[in-house]
Amino acid sequence: EAGVVQSPRYKIIEKKQPVAFWCNPISGHNTLYWYRQNLGQGPELLIRYENEEAVDDSQLPKDRFSAERLKGVDSTLKIQPAELGDSAVYLCASSPRSLAGVSNEQFFGPGTRLTVL
Amino acid sequence: GEDVEQSLFLSVREGDSSVINCTYTDSSSTYLYWYKQEPGAGLQLLTYIFSNMDMKQDQRLTVLLNKKDKHLSLRIADTQTGDSAIYFCAESPLEYGNKLVFGAGTILRVKS
């Protein structure tokens, strides 16, 4: 079974440029997450989708970040314009279903390492 | 509030046991998790423990949970060089649905 696929794996851009990341979750997984992992830190949730609905985007900087999950499968995360502080690894994860009180094993992709110059 | 703390670095000799410690703040977390991250890779779930348990063993891994002190530990028996990685502890506060709150990670270095 294929895991979570992300592309690109690496991206270098100049500040003020736009950038987009793509994620294909594991087939059949209803829940999709985007995390940001700064150097030396654990991942921090940016947005969580249940099918095509964003159910938790409280940590997403909405002035420059946007995300979509059309048809409830693939997802894209966009930054426009990028700032120096956006340099990080952007991780996508998926899980079969998000239910309170049930173990939530999240399967992570390899991430996209973004460098903003 | 959400805050998960871990020690930054642990170095052990091959064959020894490793113990990685974590403290968390939210007693509502139903499950607590240990993830492993190898260089250039995403996170991989190692094991998890239900909050009404105090111990879980899975082959070389033993998880101990002290709910009163909000302390979680991961013991790796017979540590191998392939165990060198960053280990993340995570809680899942009920009020946040199934959001995982991660610690900063512990770098485990295994010397041969």
Side-chain angles (χ1 to χ4, degrees), chain A residues 9 33 35 37 40-43 45 48 56 59 91 97-106 108-110, chain B residues 8 30-31 33 35 37 40-45 48 50 88 94 96-105:
Chain A
R9 291 294 312 277
Y33 312 77
Y35 288 88
Q37 185 177 19
Q41 300 294 319
L45 182 70
R48 172 167 66 99
D56 182 359
Q59 299 295 102
L91 294 164
R97 198 171 169 191
S98 178
L99 292 174
V102 176
S103 169
N104 177 26
E105 178 173 0
Q106 297 182 19
F108 283 80
Chain B
L8 288 180
T30 308
Y31 290 90
Y33 303 84
Y35 279 82
Q37 186 176 36
L43 278 72
Q44 171 197 359
L45 179 67
Y48 62 88
F50 188 49
F88 293 94
L94 258 185
Y96 297 111
N98 272 333
K99 170 183 172 181
L100 292 181
V101 178
F102 288 88

Short mmCIF file of all heavy atoms in Angstrom, two decimals, chain A residues 9 33 35 37 40-43 45 48 56 59 91 97-106 108-110, chain B residues 8 30-31 33 35 37 40-45 48 50 88 94 96-105:
data_model
loop_
_atom_site.label_atom_id
_atom_site.label_comp_id
_atom_site.label_asym_id
_atom_site.label_seq_id
_atom_site.Cartn_x
_atom_site.Cartn_y
_atom_site.Cartn_z
N ARG A 9 9.79 17.57 -2.86
CA ARG A 9 10.49 17.25 -1.62
C ARG A 9 11.27 18.44 -1.10
O ARG A 9 11.43 18.62 0.11
CB ARG A 9 11.45 16.07 -1.84
CG ARG A 9 10.75 14.74 -2.10
CD ARG A 9 9.97 14.25 -0.87
NE ARG A 9 10.76 14.32 0.35
CZ ARG A 9 11.62 13.40 0.75
NH1 ARG A 9 11.84 12.33 0.01
NH2 ARG A 9 12.30 13.54 1.87
N TYR A 33 -4.09 16.13 7.41
CA TYR A 33 -3.48 17.17 8.25
C TYR A 33 -2.30 17.80 7.50
O TYR A 33 -1.55 17.11 6.83
CB TYR A 33 -2.92 16.57 9.55
CG TYR A 33 -3.84 15.64 10.30
CD1 TYR A 33 -4.03 14.33 9.88
CD2 TYR A 33 -4.49 16.06 11.46
CE1 TYR A 33 -4.85 13.46 10.58
CE2 TYR A 33 -5.31 15.19 12.17
CZ TYR A 33 -5.48 13.90 11.73
OH TYR A 33 -6.28 13.04 12.44
N TYR A 35 1.04 19.94 8.74
CA TYR A 35 1.85 20.39 9.87
C TYR A 35 3.03 21.20 9.36
O TYR A 35 3.53 20.98 8.25
CB TYR A 35 2.43 19.20 10.64
CG TYR A 35 1.45 18.39 11.46
CD1 TYR A 35 0.75 17.33 10.89
CD2 TYR A 35 1.26 18.65 12.81
CE1 TYR A 35 -0.13 16.57 11.65
CE2 TYR A 35 0.39 17.89 13.58
CZ TYR A 35 -0.29 16.85 12.99
OH TYR A 35 -1.16 16.09 13.75
N GLN A 37 6.98 21.99 10.61
CA GLN A 37 8.01 21.59 11.56
C GLN A 37 9.21 22.51 11.38
O GLN A 37 9.93 22.44 10.39
CB GLN A 37 8.41 20.13 11.36
CG GLN A 37 9.40 19.64 12.41
CD GLN A 37 9.75 18.17 12.25
OE1 GLN A 37 9.56 17.57 11.19
NE2 GLN A 37 10.27 17.57 13.32
N GLY A 40 14.52 21.81 14.78
CA GLY A 40 14.69 21.53 16.20
C GLY A 40 13.40 21.50 16.99
O GLY A 40 13.44 21.48 18.22
N GLN A 41 12.28 21.47 16.30
CA GLN A 41 10.98 21.45 16.97
C GLN A 41 10.13 20.27 16.50
O GLN A 41 10.43 19.65 15.48
CB GLN A 41 10.22 22.76 16.68
CG GLN A 41 10.93 24.01 17.15
CD GLN A 41 11.02 24.07 18.65
OE1 GLN A 41 10.07 23.73 19.37
NE2 GLN A 41 12.18 24.46 19.16
N GLY A 42 9.07 20.02 17.25
CA GLY A 42 8.11 19.03 16.79
C GLY A 42 7.14 19.67 15.81
O GLY A 42 7.06 20.89 15.69
N PRO A 43 6.38 18.84 15.09
CA PRO A 43 5.39 19.38 14.14
C PRO A 43 4.29 20.14 14.88
O PRO A 43 3.89 19.77 15.99
CB PRO A 43 4.82 18.12 13.49
CG PRO A 43 5.82 17.04 13.74
CD PRO A 43 6.45 17.38 15.05
N LEU A 45 0.36 21.66 14.14
CA LEU A 45 -0.75 21.55 13.21
C LEU A 45 -1.10 22.90 12.61
O LEU A 45 -1.25 23.90 13.31
CB LEU A 45 -1.98 20.99 13.93
CG LEU A 45 -3.20 20.77 13.05
CD1 LEU A 45 -2.97 19.62 12.07
CD2 LEU A 45 -4.45 20.50 13.90
N ARG A 48 -6.60 20.88 9.65
CA ARG A 48 -7.08 19.50 9.60
C ARG A 48 -8.37 19.46 8.77
O ARG A 48 -9.26 20.29 8.97
CB ARG A 48 -7.35 18.97 11.01
CG ARG A 48 -8.04 17.60 11.04
CD ARG A 48 -7.99 16.99 12.43
NE ARG A 48 -8.74 17.73 13.42
CZ ARG A 48 -9.98 17.42 13.82
NH1 ARG A 48 -10.60 16.39 13.29
NH2 ARG A 48 -10.57 18.14 14.75
N ASP A 56 -10.42 22.30 11.50
CA ASP A 56 -9.57 23.00 12.46
C ASP A 56 -8.50 23.74 11.67
O ASP A 56 -7.55 23.13 11.21
CB ASP A 56 -8.93 22.02 13.44
CG ASP A 56 -8.07 22.73 14.49
OD1 ASP A 56 -7.94 23.98 14.44
OD2 ASP A 56 -7.52 22.04 15.37
N GLN A 59 -4.72 27.43 13.58
CA GLN A 59 -3.30 27.75 13.59
C GLN A 59 -2.78 28.17 12.22
O GLN A 59 -1.58 28.40 12.06
CB GLN A 59 -2.50 26.55 14.09
CG GLN A 59 -2.85 26.10 15.50
CD GLN A 59 -2.49 27.16 16.51
OE1 GLN A 59 -3.35 27.88 17.01
NE2 GLN A 59 -1.22 27.26 16.82
N LEU A 91 4.76 19.08 6.57
CA LEU A 91 4.41 17.67 6.60
C LEU A 91 2.91 17.50 6.38
O LEU A 91 2.11 18.22 6.95
CB LEU A 91 4.77 17.06 7.96
CG LEU A 91 6.24 16.98 8.32
CD1 LEU A 91 6.41 16.73 9.81
CD2 LEU A 91 6.93 15.89 7.52
N ARG A 97 -9.91 7.96 10.10
CA ARG A 97 -11.07 8.73 10.50
C ARG A 97 -10.74 9.40 11.82
O ARG A 97 -9.98 8.85 12.60
CB ARG A 97 -12.26 7.79 10.69
CG ARG A 97 -13.59 8.49 10.68
CD ARG A 97 -14.71 7.47 10.66
NE ARG A 97 -15.99 8.09 10.91
CZ ARG A 97 -17.10 7.43 11.15
NH1 ARG A 97 -17.09 6.11 11.19
NH2 ARG A 97 -18.22 8.06 11.36
N SER A 98 -11.27 10.55 12.06
CA SER A 98 -10.94 11.29 13.27
C SER A 98 -12.10 11.20 14.23
O SER A 98 -13.13 11.82 14.02
CB SER A 98 -10.65 12.74 12.90
OG SER A 98 -10.38 13.50 14.06
N LEU A 99 -11.94 10.40 15.28
CA LEU A 99 -13.01 10.26 16.26
C LEU A 99 -12.45 10.54 17.64
O LEU A 99 -11.41 9.99 18.01
CB LEU A 99 -13.58 8.83 16.25
CG LEU A 99 -14.35 8.40 15.01
CD1 LEU A 99 -14.70 6.93 15.10
CD2 LEU A 99 -15.62 9.24 14.86
N ALA A 100 -13.12 11.36 18.40
CA ALA A 100 -12.66 11.64 19.75
C ALA A 100 -12.68 10.36 20.57
O ALA A 100 -13.62 9.57 20.48
CB ALA A 100 -13.55 12.70 20.39
N GLY A 101 -11.64 10.14 21.34
CA GLY A 101 -11.59 8.98 22.21
C GLY A 101 -11.08 7.72 21.54
O GLY A 101 -10.95 6.69 22.19
N VAL A 102 -10.79 7.78 20.25
CA VAL A 102 -10.26 6.61 19.54
C VAL A 102 -8.82 6.91 19.14
O VAL A 102 -8.50 8.03 18.74
CB VAL A 102 -11.10 6.31 18.29
CG1 VAL A 102 -10.50 5.15 17.50
CG2 VAL A 102 -12.53 6.01 18.68
N SER A 103 -7.97 5.90 19.27
CA SER A 103 -6.58 6.10 18.91
C SER A 103 -6.46 6.66 17.51
O SER A 103 -7.07 6.16 16.57
CB SER A 103 -5.83 4.77 18.98
OG SER A 103 -4.56 4.89 18.39
N ASN A 104 -5.70 7.71 17.39
CA ASN A 104 -5.60 8.43 16.13
C ASN A 104 -4.22 8.24 15.53
O ASN A 104 -3.36 9.09 15.67
CB ASN A 104 -5.88 9.91 16.39
CG ASN A 104 -5.73 10.75 15.15
OD1 ASN A 104 -5.89 10.26 14.03
ND2 ASN A 104 -5.42 12.02 15.32
N GLU A 105 -3.99 7.10 14.88
CA GLU A 105 -2.70 6.89 14.25
C GLU A 105 -2.65 7.71 12.98
O GLU A 105 -3.47 7.51 12.07
CB GLU A 105 -2.46 5.42 13.92
CG GLU A 105 -1.12 5.22 13.22
CD GLU A 105 -0.76 3.76 13.01
OE1 GLU A 105 -1.55 2.89 13.41
OE2 GLU A 105 0.32 3.51 12.47
N GLN A 106 -1.73 8.62 12.94
CA GLN A 106 -1.55 9.47 11.77
C GLN A 106 -0.33 8.98 10.99
O GLN A 106 0.71 8.71 11.56
CB GLN A 106 -1.37 10.92 12.19
CG GLN A 106 -2.59 11.49 12.91
CD GLN A 106 -2.44 12.94 13.28
OE1 GLN A 106 -1.61 13.66 12.73
NE2 GLN A 106 -3.27 13.40 14.21
N PHE A 108 2.42 9.82 8.24
CA PHE A 108 3.06 11.03 7.74
C PHE A 108 3.76 10.80 6.41
O PHE A 108 4.34 9.74 6.17
CB PHE A 108 4.10 11.55 8.74
CG PHE A 108 3.51 12.26 9.91
CD1 PHE A 108 2.97 11.55 10.97
CD2 PHE A 108 3.47 13.64 9.95
CE1 PHE A 108 2.40 12.20 12.06
CE2 PHE A 108 2.92 14.31 11.04
CZ PHE A 108 2.38 13.59 12.09
N GLY A 109 3.72 11.82 5.57
CA GLY A 109 4.54 11.83 4.37
C GLY A 109 5.95 12.29 4.70
O GLY A 109 6.23 12.68 5.84
N PRO A 110 6.86 12.27 3.71
CA PRO A 110 8.26 12.64 3.96
C PRO A 110 8.46 14.14 4.14
O PRO A 110 9.51 14.56 4.61
CB PRO A 110 8.98 12.15 2.71
CG PRO A 110 7.93 12.17 1.65
CD PRO A 110 6.65 11.83 2.32
N LEU B 8 16.57 16.96 25.33
CA LEU B 8 16.97 17.20 23.94
C LEU B 8 17.80 16.07 23.34
O LEU B 8 17.72 15.82 22.15
CB LEU B 8 17.77 18.50 23.85
CG LEU B 8 16.98 19.79 24.01
CD1 LEU B 8 17.91 20.99 23.89
CD2 LEU B 8 15.87 19.86 22.98
N THR B 30 -6.61 11.15 25.91
CA THR B 30 -7.02 9.75 26.02
C THR B 30 -5.88 8.81 25.63
O THR B 30 -5.73 7.73 26.18
CB THR B 30 -8.22 9.49 25.10
OG1 THR B 30 -9.24 10.45 25.39
CG2 THR B 30 -8.79 8.10 25.31
N TYR B 31 -5.10 9.24 24.65
CA TYR B 31 -3.97 8.45 24.19
C TYR B 31 -2.72 9.32 24.20
O TYR B 31 -2.79 10.54 24.00
CB TYR B 31 -4.20 7.94 22.76
CG TYR B 31 -5.26 6.87 22.66
CD1 TYR B 31 -6.59 7.22 22.44
CD2 TYR B 31 -4.95 5.53 22.79
CE1 TYR B 31 -7.57 6.25 22.36
CE2 TYR B 31 -5.93 4.55 22.71
CZ TYR B 31 -7.23 4.92 22.50
OH TYR B 31 -8.20 3.95 22.42
N TYR B 33 1.36 9.22 22.58
CA TYR B 33 2.02 8.58 21.45
C TYR B 33 3.53 8.79 21.48
O TYR B 33 4.03 9.80 21.99
CB TYR B 33 1.50 9.20 20.14
CG TYR B 33 0.01 9.11 19.96
CD1 TYR B 33 -0.84 10.05 20.53
CD2 TYR B 33 -0.55 8.08 19.19
CE1 TYR B 33 -2.22 9.98 20.36
CE2 TYR B 33 -1.93 8.01 19.02
CZ TYR B 33 -2.75 8.96 19.60
OH TYR B 33 -4.11 8.88 19.42
N TYR B 35 6.47 8.83 18.46
CA TYR B 35 6.80 8.79 17.05
C TYR B 35 8.31 8.82 16.89
O TYR B 35 9.03 9.40 17.71
CB TYR B 35 6.21 10.01 16.31
CG TYR B 35 4.75 9.87 15.94
CD1 TYR B 35 3.75 10.14 16.87
CD2 TYR B 35 4.38 9.49 14.67
CE1 TYR B 35 2.42 10.03 16.54
CE2 TYR B 35 3.04 9.38 14.31
CZ TYR B 35 2.07 9.65 15.25
OH TYR B 35 0.75 9.53 14.90
N GLN B 37 11.44 9.77 14.02
CA GLN B 37 11.74 10.46 12.77
C GLN B 37 13.20 10.25 12.42
O GLN B 37 14.09 10.65 13.15
CB GLN B 37 11.44 11.96 12.87
CG GLN B 37 11.58 12.70 11.55
CD GLN B 37 11.19 14.17 11.65
OE1 GLN B 37 11.43 14.82 12.66
NE2 GLN B 37 10.57 14.70 10.59
N GLY B 40 15.50 13.15 7.07
CA GLY B 40 14.87 13.31 5.76
C GLY B 40 13.56 12.57 5.59
O GLY B 40 13.03 12.51 4.47
N ALA B 41 13.03 12.03 6.67
CA ALA B 41 11.80 11.24 6.56
C ALA B 41 10.70 11.85 7.42
O ALA B 41 10.95 12.68 8.29
CB ALA B 41 12.07 9.80 7.00
N GLY B 42 9.49 11.42 7.16
CA GLY B 42 8.37 11.85 7.99
C GLY B 42 8.37 11.10 9.30
O GLY B 42 9.26 10.30 9.59
N LEU B 43 7.36 11.34 10.10
CA LEU B 43 7.27 10.69 11.39
C LEU B 43 6.59 9.34 11.26
O LEU B 43 5.64 9.18 10.51
CB LEU B 43 6.47 11.56 12.37
CG LEU B 43 7.23 12.68 13.05
CD1 LEU B 43 7.54 13.79 12.09
CD2 LEU B 43 6.44 13.21 14.23
N GLN B 44 7.08 8.39 12.03
CA GLN B 44 6.52 7.05 12.02
C GLN B 44 6.02 6.72 13.42
O GLN B 44 6.78 6.87 14.38
CB GLN B 44 7.62 6.06 11.59
CG GLN B 44 7.25 4.60 11.73
CD GLN B 44 8.47 3.71 11.69
OE1 GLN B 44 9.60 4.16 11.54
NE2 GLN B 44 8.26 2.41 11.83
N LEU B 45 4.77 6.28 13.52
CA LEU B 45 4.25 5.93 14.84
C LEU B 45 4.94 4.66 15.34
O LEU B 45 4.95 3.63 14.68
CB LEU B 45 2.74 5.68 14.77
CG LEU B 45 2.09 5.28 16.09
CD1 LEU B 45 2.14 6.42 17.09
CD2 LEU B 45 0.65 4.84 15.86
N TYR B 48 1.68 3.59 21.11
CA TYR B 48 0.85 4.52 21.86
C TYR B 48 0.30 3.80 23.07
O TYR B 48 0.32 2.56 23.15
CB TYR B 48 -0.29 5.07 21.00
CG TYR B 48 -1.26 4.04 20.50
CD1 TYR B 48 -2.37 3.66 21.26
CD2 TYR B 48 -1.09 3.42 19.26
CE1 TYR B 48 -3.26 2.71 20.81
CE2 TYR B 48 -1.98 2.47 18.80
CZ TYR B 48 -3.06 2.11 19.56
OH TYR B 48 -3.95 1.17 19.11
N PHE B 50 -2.98 3.88 26.01
CA PHE B 50 -4.28 4.40 26.45
C PHE B 50 -4.09 4.96 27.86
O PHE B 50 -3.35 4.38 28.68
CB PHE B 50 -5.30 3.27 26.42
CG PHE B 50 -6.71 3.69 26.68
CD1 PHE B 50 -7.28 4.76 26.02
CD2 PHE B 50 -7.49 3.00 27.60
CE1 PHE B 50 -8.59 5.13 26.25
CE2 PHE B 50 -8.80 3.36 27.85
CZ PHE B 50 -9.35 4.42 27.18
N PHE B 88 9.68 11.62 19.22
CA PHE B 88 8.71 12.64 19.64
C PHE B 88 7.62 12.01 20.48
O PHE B 88 7.04 10.98 20.13
CB PHE B 88 8.06 13.30 18.42
CG PHE B 88 8.98 14.13 17.60
CD1 PHE B 88 9.63 13.60 16.50
CD2 PHE B 88 9.20 15.46 17.91
CE1 PHE B 88 10.49 14.36 15.73
CE2 PHE B 88 10.05 16.24 17.14
CZ PHE B 88 10.70 15.69 16.06
N LEU B 94 -8.43 16.15 24.62
CA LEU B 94 -9.80 15.91 24.16
C LEU B 94 -10.47 17.16 23.62
O LEU B 94 -11.20 17.11 22.63
CB LEU B 94 -10.64 15.37 25.33
CG LEU B 94 -10.91 13.87 25.34
CD1 LEU B 94 -11.83 13.52 26.48
CD2 LEU B 94 -11.49 13.39 24.02
N TYR B 96 -9.38 19.38 21.92
CA TYR B 96 -8.92 19.74 20.59
C TYR B 96 -9.22 18.65 19.57
O TYR B 96 -8.60 18.59 18.51
CB TYR B 96 -7.43 20.06 20.61
CG TYR B 96 -7.10 21.26 21.46
CD1 TYR B 96 -6.40 21.11 22.65
CD2 TYR B 96 -7.52 22.53 21.11
CE1 TYR B 96 -6.11 22.19 23.44
CE2 TYR B 96 -7.23 23.63 21.90
CZ TYR B 96 -6.53 23.45 23.07
OH TYR B 96 -6.25 24.52 23.87
N GLY B 97 -10.16 17.79 19.90
CA GLY B 97 -10.49 16.70 18.99
C GLY B 97 -9.32 15.75 18.90
O GLY B 97 -8.80 15.31 19.91
N ASN B 98 -8.87 15.43 17.72
CA ASN B 98 -7.76 14.51 17.59
C ASN B 98 -6.48 15.21 17.18
O ASN B 98 -5.60 14.63 16.56
CB ASN B 98 -8.11 13.41 16.60
CG ASN B 98 -8.80 12.26 17.29
OD1 ASN B 98 -8.60 12.02 18.47
ND2 ASN B 98 -9.62 11.54 16.56
N LYS B 99 -6.34 16.46 17.54
CA LYS B 99 -5.10 17.18 17.28
C LYS B 99 -4.00 16.59 18.13
O LYS B 99 -4.17 16.33 19.32
CB LYS B 99 -5.32 18.65 17.63
CG LYS B 99 -4.07 19.50 17.63
CD LYS B 99 -4.42 20.92 18.06
CE LYS B 99 -3.19 21.77 18.26
NZ LYS B 99 -3.53 23.14 18.68
N LEU B 100 -2.85 16.36 17.54
CA LEU B 100 -1.68 15.88 18.27
C LEU B 100 -0.80 17.08 18.63
O LEU B 100 -0.53 17.93 17.77
CB LEU B 100 -0.87 14.89 17.44
CG LEU B 100 -1.53 13.55 17.15
CD1 LEU B 100 -0.59 12.66 16.32
CD2 LEU B 100 -1.90 12.84 18.44
N VAL B 101 -0.38 17.13 19.89
CA VAL B 101 0.54 18.17 20.33
C VAL B 101 1.87 17.48 20.62
O VAL B 101 1.95 16.62 21.51
CB VAL B 101 0.02 18.88 21.59
CG1 VAL B 101 1.02 19.93 22.06
CG2 VAL B 101 -1.34 19.53 21.30
N PHE B 102 2.89 17.86 19.88
CA PHE B 102 4.18 17.19 19.94
C PHE B 102 5.15 17.94 20.84
O PHE B 102 5.12 19.17 20.95
CB PHE B 102 4.81 17.12 18.55
CG PHE B 102 4.15 16.15 17.62
CD1 PHE B 102 3.07 16.55 16.83
CD2 PHE B 102 4.59 14.84 17.51
CE1 PHE B 102 2.46 15.67 15.96
CE2 PHE B 102 3.99 13.94 16.65
CZ PHE B 102 2.92 14.35 15.87
N GLY B 103 6.05 17.18 21.46
CA GLY B 103 7.21 17.77 22.09
C GLY B 103 8.24 18.14 21.03
O GLY B 103 8.04 17.89 19.84
N ALA B 104 9.35 18.71 21.47
CA ALA B 104 10.40 19.16 20.54
C ALA B 104 11.27 18.02 20.05
O ALA B 104 12.07 18.20 19.12
CB ALA B 104 11.26 20.24 21.19
N GLY B 105 11.13 16.85 20.65
CA GLY B 105 11.88 15.70 20.20
C GLY B 105 13.16 15.47 20.98
O GLY B 105 13.79 16.41 21.46
#
